[in-house]
């Protein structure tokens, strides 16, 4: 079956499929993408020269080649990458075989599926907008196919209108359509791509790399007041074991520790929206006090999520800045005093000098921080490399580094002095988005600090970086400048909305839109749906179904009223009145059939009922004036009505 | 004209349409029916696939795309309805035909304010038209007329699947606009009746100025009977005999004079005679058991005779 398909339609088809597949250039292996481009280009040439399109056998050979390519690239057809590849390749092959209207439908429907697979790779608001625009093109293709003399602009306009009118129903369905948790079928999962973030090990330089990344880690919206900058420590991994170079997190550390005693006079209640990561850590404000049941807090007061960390997740948390942790048992003391052998003589000498015959840990810490401050230490993101004995090299030779250098050296010296201490990794600070009222924490906010166990207070946070670069803590880093130049830059002032340039305000506005998009669209899952629905008073399936149908019917009714209005306006009161008049005459047997003009009618009446001749003439005259000359007034209309009603 | 409840649910409304109307019909919610076609079902399948992808990967944007297309599906119902709604269709003046010839039924379409991008009309034949807004158009649909008599056009189905082709809206319309089908004329060459039947008069005789008036050169339209064979035999060319007055021969065509096995065959022969007589420029009269048309000639008389033959006994 070969239908005639105009060239314009073929261009529509090629443009919409090309644009739908285009963003896949970043996800699909290059050979597969090339295999899509080949038929696309071939088909474009084929519009002008249909004789160069492939025949049946060549097409078959191409199909076999495509399948072979697919298997060599993906080893299968299941899973996100392989499935996407399959659809892209078959879409390309189908382009070479457009013979009838049916094929156009197959291509358009296939391209909608390819559009959906884009969302498996990127869920940004921009991608959604892009796909919506390309969907307009797809529908315009179908409209062109279903019109006799298609006009490009008119088809695009109608398609856009269709989509716009579909939006309300789509939103209602989106909110109310039951979300079910899908089983995690392993054959559908792809291996997680490498994501940046804190790791299990702390090596010099690791955080410096993060500091050059502006990637978002999480966003926090506080229910009450915002914690001051010096309290914004987001707790991550605890590095307690060291070989002198690398610091590591112990999987079994902190078993013996007890629940801290929280001073709940000051609490922070907040919602944490985590971006996908490759660890199970949830970066709670120090220390997490209340947390949802799907999280657990280990003995290191770290929050861990059991579910797939590769997905965006939202948690409602409560943290308390003032707390007292319990005693340290022997194994805990040993873990947090661990050193790789005897400290170097230079370090021992430093410890002796700082101790100054005084065994009190707090005074020792004060003197150590004073040492950092007074001995010409400086804060830099690009210190010289210290591959051997990094602690010694940092403390005595280079005296330049960033948070992880300070934290590890600090803990090392304390342990050498017999004070239990450990390195804590996480994020510090965050940029306040004044539009959305939330904190954005980025990879560049990655930080390392120390915790020291003191007999009366339990674990206490000390940040040696603050001693050398207090601006790092008080003001936070200027991430954009830091990422751009590779050097650390602190924000010139604390948050001050009037100091923001329009560019920054625009950026904040945009990141607020993105935040709401992530929270309400991307992250709207089973749990948040249940929460939202119960807020509406929808508890069971029956009520949900009722709401779903009622709101869809409401939208449909409104839309129908809107669309059908121009039809109703065609009704003309004058014509209606006249029709009523004629129907009455027919009923009375004065006329054979409807469809007479007013003057003919008047003539007929004059003949059959001379007594009615006068009013009939006036009816005809009034009607003609109202209907044909369109000069009539409302007075005439009521006149006509009176005349007709008077007629018996 | 409102319908009773039982009429509203009569299945035949969906296929054959309502009782024939003599007036123009405006397509409205009562007459327009909509159903998703095969492509519409495929579209529903597509929505299902999108929702499935959304479900398996827990991807809200896939869901959203699926819901958006579901919204498009719902909206398209309205738009497909609008493709037909408000269209006014009236039957035109139908030209009579002989049985066995294609009958042309004319209909006038008034699109109203809305352009009609893709209207499909089907009677027995199909036709696809596009109407710009406010521009009426008359279309003709052909149907082979098999039997003589007054034939109603049958059910005219106006349909459209604009805009997306996933729904079909259709409206079956029946019009009281008969088309006259004359009997099928018998094979040409059948001789006129020499001998009249019925009242015993000669089928072919002179009347009025019936004496021979002379000869003139043969003209197209003169019958064989008028040819003066004698002059022709003498080799003086073909001449027609002219009779007195301004009338030529007068012919009575009687059903009883027509031979045939059954009525249709005889009517068919009679029809042939009428056609030939008119073409020959003769004055002819028609005699049927219930009707007698005095001899005359001209289009009006010709039509009257053929109409009488068409409706005889039906």
């Amino acid at each position: 079956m070969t239908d005639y398909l105009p060239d314009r339609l073929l261009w529509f088809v090629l443009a919409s499929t090309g644009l739908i597949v285009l963003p896949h250039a970043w996800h699909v292996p290059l050979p597969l993408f090339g295999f899509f481009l080949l038929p696309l280009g071939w088909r474009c040439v084929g519009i002008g020269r249909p004789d160069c399109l492939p025949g049946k056998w060549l097409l078959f050979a191409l199909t076999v080649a495509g399948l072979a390519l697919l298997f060599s690239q993906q080893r299968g057809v299941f899973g996100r990458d392989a499935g996407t590849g399959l659809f892209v390749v078959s879409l390309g092959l189908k382009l070479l075989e457009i013979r009838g209207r049916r094929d156009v439908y197959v291509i358009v429907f296939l391209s909608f599926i390819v559009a959906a697979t884009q969302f498996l790779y990127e869920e940004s608001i921009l991608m959604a907008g892009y796909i919506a625009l390309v969907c307009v093109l797809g529908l315009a293709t179908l409209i062109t196919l279903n019109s006799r003399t298609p006009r490009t602009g008119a088809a695009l306009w109608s398609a856009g209108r269709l989509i716009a009118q579909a939006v309300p129903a789509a939103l209602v369905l989106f909110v109310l359509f039951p979300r079910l948790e899908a089983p995690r079928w392993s054959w559908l999962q792809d291996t997680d791509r490498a994501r940046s973030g804190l790791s299990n090990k702390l090596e010099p330089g690791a955080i410096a790399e993060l500091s050059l990344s502006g990637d978002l880690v999480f966003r926090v919206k506080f229910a009450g007041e915002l914690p001051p900058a010096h309290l914004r420590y987001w707790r991550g991994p605890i590095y307690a074991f060291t070989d002198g170079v690398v610091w590591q997190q112990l999987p079994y550390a902190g078993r013996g520790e007890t629940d801290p005693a929280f001073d709940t006079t000051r609490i922070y209640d907040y919602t944490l929206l985590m971006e996908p990561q490759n660890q199970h850590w949830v970066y709670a404000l120090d220390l997490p006090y209340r947390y949802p049941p799907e999280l657990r807090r280990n003995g290191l007061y770290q929050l861990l999520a059991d579910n797939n960390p590769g997905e965006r997740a939202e948690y409602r948390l409560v943290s308390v800045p003032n707390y007292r942790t319990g005693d340290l048992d022997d194994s805990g003391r040993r873990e947090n005093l661990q050193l790789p052998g005897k400290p170097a003589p230079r370090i021992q000498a430093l410890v002796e000098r700082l101790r100054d015959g005084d065994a009190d840990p707090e005074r020792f810490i004060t003197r150590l921080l004073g040492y950092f401050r007074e001995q010409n230490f400086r804060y830099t993101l690009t210190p010289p490399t210290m591959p051997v004995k990094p602690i010694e090299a940092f403390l005595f030779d280079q005296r330049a580094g960033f948070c992880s250098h300070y934290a590890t050296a600090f803990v090392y010296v304390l342990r050498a002095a017999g004070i239990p201490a450990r390195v804590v990794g996480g994020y510090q600070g965050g940029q306040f988005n004044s539009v959305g009222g939330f904190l954005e924490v980025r990879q560049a906010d990655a930080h390392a600090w120390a915790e020291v166990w003191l007999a009366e207070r339990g674990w206490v946070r000390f940040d040696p970086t603050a001693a050398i670069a207090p601006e790092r803590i008080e003001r936070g880093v200027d991430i954009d400048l830091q990422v751009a130049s590779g050097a650390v830059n602190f924000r010139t002032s604390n948050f001050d909305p009037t100091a923001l340039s329009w560019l920054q305000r625009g950026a904040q506005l945009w990141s607020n839109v993105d935040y709401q998009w992530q929270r309400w669209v991307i992250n709207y899952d089973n749990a948040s749906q249940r929460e939202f629905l119960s807020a509406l008073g929808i508890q069971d399936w029956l009520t949900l179904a009722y709401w779903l149908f009622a709101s869809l019917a409401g939208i449909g009714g409104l839309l129908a009223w809107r669309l059908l209005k121009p039809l109703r306006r065609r009704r003309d009161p004058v014509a209606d009145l006249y029709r009523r008049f004629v129907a009455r005459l027919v009923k009375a047997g004065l006329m054979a059939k409807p469809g007479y003009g007013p003057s003919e009618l008047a003539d007929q009446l004059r003949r059959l009922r001379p007594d009615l001749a006068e009013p009939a003439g006036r009816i005809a005259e009034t009607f003609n004036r109202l209907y044909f000359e369109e000069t009539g007034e409302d007075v005439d209309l009521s006149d006509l009505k009176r005349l007709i009603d008077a007629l018996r | 004209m409102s319908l009773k409840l039982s009429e509203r649910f009569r299945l035949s409304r969906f296929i054959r349409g309502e009782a024939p109307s003599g007036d123009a019909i405006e397509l409205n919610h009562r007459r327009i029916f909509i159903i998703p076609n095969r492509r519409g079902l495929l579209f529903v399948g597509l929505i299902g696939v999108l929702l499935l992808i959304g479900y398996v990967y827990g991807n809200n944007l896939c869901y959203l795309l699926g819901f958006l297309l579901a919204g498009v599906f719902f909206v398209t119902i309205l738009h497909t309805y609008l493709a037909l709604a408000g269209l006014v269709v009236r039957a035109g003046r139908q030209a009579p035909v002989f049985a066995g010839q294609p009958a042309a039924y004319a209909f006038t379409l008034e699109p109203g304010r809305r352009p009609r991008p893709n209207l499909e009309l089907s009677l027995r034949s199909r036709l696809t038209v596009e109407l710009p807004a406010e521009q009426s158009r008359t279309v003709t649909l052909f149907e082979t007329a098999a039997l003589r008599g007054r034939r109603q056009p049958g059910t005219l189905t106006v349909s459209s699947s604009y805009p997306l082709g996933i729904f079909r809206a259709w409206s079956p319309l029946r019009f009281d606009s008969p088309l006259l089908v004359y009997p099928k004329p018998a094979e040409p060459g059948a001789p006129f009746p020499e001998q009249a039947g019925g009242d015993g008069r000669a089928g072919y005789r002179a009347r009025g100025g019936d004496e021979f008036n002379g000869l003139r050169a043969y003209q197209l339209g003169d019958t064989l009977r008028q040819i003066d064979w004698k002059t022709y035999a003498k080799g003086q060319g073909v001449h027609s005999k002219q009779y007195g007055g301004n009338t030529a021969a007068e012919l009575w065509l009687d059903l009883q004079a027509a031979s045939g096995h059954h009525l249709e065959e005889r009517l068919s022969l009679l029809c042939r005679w009428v056609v030939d007589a008119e073409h020959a420029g003769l004055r002819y009269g028609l005699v049927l058991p219930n009707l007698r048309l005095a001899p005359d000639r001209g289009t009006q008389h010709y039509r009257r005779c053929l109409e009488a033959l068409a409706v005889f006994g039906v």
Side-chain angles (χ1 to χ4, degrees):
Chain A
M1 181 186 75
T2 308
D3 300 337
Y4 168 71
L5 298 171
D7 284 356
R8 186 204 306 268
L9 178 77
L10 291 176
W11 282 117
F12 250 119
V13 170
L14 293 174
S16 64
T17 46
L19 286 176
I20 272 193
V21 178
L22 181 67
H24 269 319
W26 285 270
H27 320 128
V28 169
L30 210 59
L32 283 185
F33 193 70
F35 194 83
F36 170 78
L37 286 183
L38 173 79
L40 184 72
W42 198 336
R43 183 68 238 194
C44 286
V45 175
I47 289 182
R49 301 182 48 200
D51 49 311
C52 75
L53 287 173
K56 206 163 61 174
W57 287 107
L58 188 52
L59 204 58
F60 180 72
L62 274 172
T63 309
V64 171
L67 285 179
L69 189 66
L70 206 58
F71 271 87
S72 72
Q73 293 290 326
Q74 311 281 7
R75 289 175 205 83
V77 290
F78 293 119
R80 182 187 68 172
D81 291 346
T84 303
L86 178 69
F87 280 118
V88 167
V89 164
S90 45
L91 187 56
L93 287 170
K94 190 71 204 166
L95 283 181
L96 285 180
E97 192 210 29
I98 310 177
R99 274 180 285 137
R101 298 163 56 87
R102 210 186 67 100
D103 299 308
V104 177
Y105 275 90
V106 169
I107 286 171
V108 171
F109 288 1
L110 261 180
S111 63
F112 278 126
I113 294 179
V114 172
T117 60
Q118 296 285 1
F119 293 137
L120 301 180
Y121 294 92
E122 204 185 326
E123 297 181 279
S124 72
I125 200 164
L126 288 177
M127 177 58 89
Y130 178 79
I131 293 297
L133 285 181
V134 186
C135 283
V136 170
L137 214 53
L139 291 187
T141 308
L142 296 188
I143 291 175
T144 311
L145 187 63
N146 283 288
S147 323
R148 296 276 293 168
T149 50
R151 269 172 295 271
T152 311
L156 284 172
W157 174 247
S158 308
R161 253 167 48 109
L162 268 181
I163 296 255
Q165 288 164 351
V167 164
L171 290 182
V172 164
L173 280 169
F174 183 79
V175 172
L176 294 181
F177 190 83
R179 287 295 191 291
L180 301 171
E181 206 73 59
R184 305 223 161 271
W185 291 312
S186 56
W187 50 270
L188 284 174
Q189 302 297 324
D190 291 275
T191 49
D192 282 321
R193 276 145 201 282
R195 292 193 179 94
S196 68
L198 296 178
S199 78
N200 267 316
K201 291 178 184 172
L202 183 64
E203 292 170 78
I207 284 187
E209 273 168 37
L210 285 183
S211 298
L212 294 179
S213 156
D215 290 349
L216 198 65
V217 189
F218 55 88
R219 286 175 275 211
V220 199
K221 195 171 179 85
F222 285 88
E225 59 169 328
L226 205 63
H230 69 271
L231 286 183
R232 290 182 205 153
Y233 282 88
W234 310 97
R235 192 182 182 84
I238 311 291
Y239 308 108
F241 178 85
T242 178
D243 62 359
V245 179
V246 176
W247 294 69
Q248 287 190 46
Q249 154 143 303
L250 291 171
Y252 46 84
R255 275 167 307 174
E257 299 190 44
T258 49
D259 273 357
F262 287 104
D263 170 14
T264 53
T265 50
R266 180 150 63 148
I267 62 166
Y268 293 109
D269 184 344
Y270 56 98
T271 310
L272 189 74
L273 179 67
M274 295 282 308
E275 292 297 299
Q277 52 163 345
N278 47 15
Q279 302 284 1
H280 292 265
W281 303 320
V282 174
Y283 297 97
L285 192 68
D286 220 12
L287 273 185
Y289 170 60
R290 237 179 298 159
Y291 41 89
E294 67 263 28
L295 299 182
R296 65 192 162 82
R297 192 176 65 189
N298 64 11
L300 303 168
Y301 316 117
Q302 228 184 317
L303 278 189
L304 298 172
D306 288 330
N307 59 358
N308 186 4
E311 285 171 13
R312 210 169 268 103
E314 194 177 71
Y315 307 104
R316 179 82 182 268
L317 304 171
V318 173
S319 284
V320 172
N322 299 319
Y323 51 88
R324 223 197 118 216
T325 62
D327 287 340
L328 201 61
D329 63 7
D330 280 348
S331 71
R333 180 170 288 274
R334 240 178 292 125
E335 270 166 21
N336 292 295
L337 283 172
Q338 175 268 339
L339 283 177
K342 228 169 137 51
R346 277 207 281 184
I347 294 178
Q348 280 181 329
L350 175 69
V351 167
E352 285 310 316
R353 185 148 60 89
L354 293 175
R355 194 178 272 156
D356 201 15
D358 180 359
D360 182 63
E362 290 196 50
R363 279 197 289 277
F364 182 85
I365 291 167
T366 314
R367 282 192 289 268
L368 177 55
L369 291 176
Y371 173 76
F372 282 141
R373 219 170 2 245
E374 287 146 21
Q375 295 294 320
N376 222 8
F377 280 83
R378 69 195 167 83
Y379 185 90
T380 171
L381 272 184
T382 50
T385 51
M386 296 166 257
V388 283
K389 295 185 183 171
I391 305 278
E392 247 186 291
F394 170 72
L395 278 175
F396 303 111
D397 305 330
Q398 308 295 352
R399 302 192 178 192
F402 45 87
C403 58
S404 48
H405 294 92
Y406 287 95
T408 52
F410 180 77
V411 169
Y412 196 96
V413 172
L414 286 188
R415 283 184 178 188
I419 304 168
R422 59 194 183 191
V423 178
V424 182
Y427 296 88
Q428 202 281 325
Q431 187 172 3
F432 185 72
N433 184 309
S434 55
V435 182
F438 56 86
L439 272 179
E440 289 175 293
V441 177
R442 301 178 178 277
Q443 295 294 6
D445 290 314
H447 191 53
W449 61 92
E451 268 183 344
V452 183
W453 193 83
L454 301 169
E456 296 302 312
R457 298 165 61 188
W459 285 108
V460 179
R461 181 177 63 230
F462 286 93
D463 189 349
T465 313
I468 183 68
E471 335 56 282
R472 168 70 183 81
I473 310 306
E474 285 300 330
R475 292 197 205 134
V477 287
D478 188 326
I479 287 166
D480 298 332
L481 265 177
Q482 178 169 315
V483 172
S485 65
V488 65
N489 289 282
F490 302 106
R491 258 180 250 128
T492 45
S493 69
N494 246 330
F495 164 69
D496 175 10
T498 55
L500 289 176
S501 71
W502 61 268
L503 200 66
Q504 281 167 311
R505 261 202 296 274
Q508 288 207 347
L509 186 70
W510 173 248
S511 53
N512 177 46
V513 168
D514 190 47
Y515 172 71
Q516 306 298 348
W517 172 256
Q518 300 287 358
R519 268 195 86 184
W520 295 109
V521 180
I522 306 300
N523 212 35
Y524 186 73
D525 62 356
N526 194 7
S528 43
Q529 184 178 41
R530 219 178 307 126
E531 196 181 320
F532 181 75
L533 293 184
S534 59
L536 282 176
I538 302 174
Q539 305 283 1
D540 57 323
W541 290 97
L542 205 64
T543 329
L544 181 62
Y546 165 78
W547 268 75
L548 197 56
F549 284 109
S551 34
L552 283 183
I555 287 172
L558 270 175
L559 207 58
W561 178 76
R562 190 65 200 86
L563 286 176
L564 304 185
K565 212 162 63 170
L567 279 182
R568 274 195 312 278
R569 224 186 303 137
R570 273 174 46 101
R571 292 209 89 100
D572 184 335
V574 182
D576 274 353
L577 214 53
Y578 182 73
R579 226 170 280 134
R580 186 139 50 95
F581 172 53
V582 172
R584 190 178 293 168
L585 291 179
V586 170
K587 217 168 165 186
L590 289 173
M591 268 182 62
K593 60 190 231 179
Y596 264 46
S599 310
E600 292 166 273
L601 197 81
D603 287 346
Q604 172 119 349
L605 270 181
R606 220 167 276 140
R607 244 181 306 120
L608 291 171
R609 289 280 299 273
D611 55 317
L612 293 180
E614 202 263 324
R618 272 179 44 208
I619 286 173
E621 185 202 338
T622 318
F623 175 77
N624 282 338
R625 190 167 63 237
L626 275 168
Y627 195 76
F628 293 107
E629 294 171 22
E630 289 179 6
T631 53
E633 314 254 323
D634 288 347
V635 190
D636 285 338
L637 185 62
S638 54
D639 223 32
L640 183 64
K641 190 164 160 29
R642 199 169 37 75
L643 278 167
I644 289 174
D645 285 343
L647 216 61
R648 282 283 172 263
Chain B
M1 185 169 39
S2 57
L3 290 182
K4 279 189 239 131
L5 200 64
S6 60
E7 287 172 324
R8 270 179 195 274
F9 288 97
R10 195 171 294 154
L11 198 66
S12 67
R13 280 181 64 219
F14 299 91
I15 301 151
R16 288 186 52 219
E18 295 173 4
S21 160
D23 211 359
I25 298 179
E26 179 176 349
L27 304 192
N28 56 18
H29 57 276
R30 205 178 79 192
R31 293 182 184 268
I32 300 174
F33 309 105
I34 306 175
I35 207 167
N37 57 16
R38 247 185 331 178
R39 280 159 195 149
L41 297 181
L42 201 64
F43 194 78
V44 172
L46 168 74
I47 294 170
V49 169
L50 294 181
L51 296 186
L52 191 69
I53 295 176
Y55 167 71
V56 167
Y57 289 99
N59 189 300
N60 267 344
L61 291 186
C62 286
Y63 272 122
L64 196 55
L65 184 62
F67 294 144
L68 190 68
L69 291 189
V72 167
F73 187 76
F74 292 134
V75 172
T76 306
I77 300 177
L78 277 175
H79 282 274
T80 312
Y81 169 77
L82 281 175
L84 292 188
L87 181 75
V88 176
V89 185
R90 64 178 86 240
R93 197 178 289 275
Q94 317 296 11
V97 290
F98 292 99
Q101 285 183 342
Y105 290 99
F107 300 96
T108 304
L109 304 169
E110 291 168 16
R113 298 185 173 195
R114 176 180 297 275
R116 312 283 170 175
N118 203 9
L119 284 181
E120 193 175 284
L121 306 164
S122 78
L123 202 56
R124 284 266 137 60
S125 56
R126 269 164 204 289
L127 187 69
T128 316
V129 292
E130 158 153 358
L131 301 176
E134 309 281 16
Q135 283 187 33
S136 310
R137 187 170 154 189
T138 300
V139 296
T140 316
L141 285 151
F142 292 95
E143 188 176 54
T144 302
L147 294 171
R148 68 187 175 84
R150 278 183 210 280
R151 296 278 152 232
Q152 295 290 357
T155 301
L156 170 75
T157 307
V158 184
S159 63
S160 177
S161 58
Y162 185 83
L164 294 185
I166 56 177
F167 282 93
R168 176 171 182 264
W170 79 98
S171 185
L173 303 173
R174 284 199 287 161
F175 288 97
D176 180 18
S177 168
L179 179 144
L180 204 57
V181 182
Y182 304 144
K184 185 186 168 110
E187 290 300 307
F192 284 119
E194 288 291 350
Q195 218 43 51
D199 55 1
R201 277 184 294 180
Y204 174 48
R205 70 182 181 104
R207 205 189 71 159
D210 53 353
E211 64 269 27
F212 180 64
N213 229 2
L215 288 175
R216 74 173 159 102
Y218 174 81
Q219 284 176 351
L220 216 61
D222 292 346
T223 61
L224 290 176
R225 250 156 260 286
Q226 284 172 272
I227 292 173
D228 184 21
W229 297 106
K230 286 182 201 147
T231 47
Y232 178 69
K234 286 178 199 156
Q236 293 169 342
V238 186
H239 292 274
S240 300
K241 287 182 266 191
Q242 296 291 303
Y243 293 90
N246 50 7
T247 51
E250 194 168 80
L251 188 61
W252 277 100
L253 303 172
D254 193 334
L255 183 64
Q256 297 201 354
S259 60
H261 294 297
H262 49 84
L263 179 65
E264 291 306 319
E265 235 171 86
R266 289 157 66 199
L267 283 170
S268 181
L269 186 59
L270 213 49
C271 179
R272 165 57 61 192
W273 288 342
V274 170
V275 173
D276 285 350
E278 174 68 25
H279 281 238
L282 301 176
R283 289 173 58 85
Y284 55 94
L286 184 67
V287 182
L288 292 174
N290 60 345
L291 182 87
R292 170 181 290 266
L293 290 172
D296 198 355
R297 54 197 274 186
T299 313
Q300 234 177 356
H301 178 66
Y302 176 65
R303 291 234 162 128
R304 208 175 302 134
C305 291
L306 286 175
E307 181 179 347
L309 292 177
V311 301
F312 178 70
V314 292

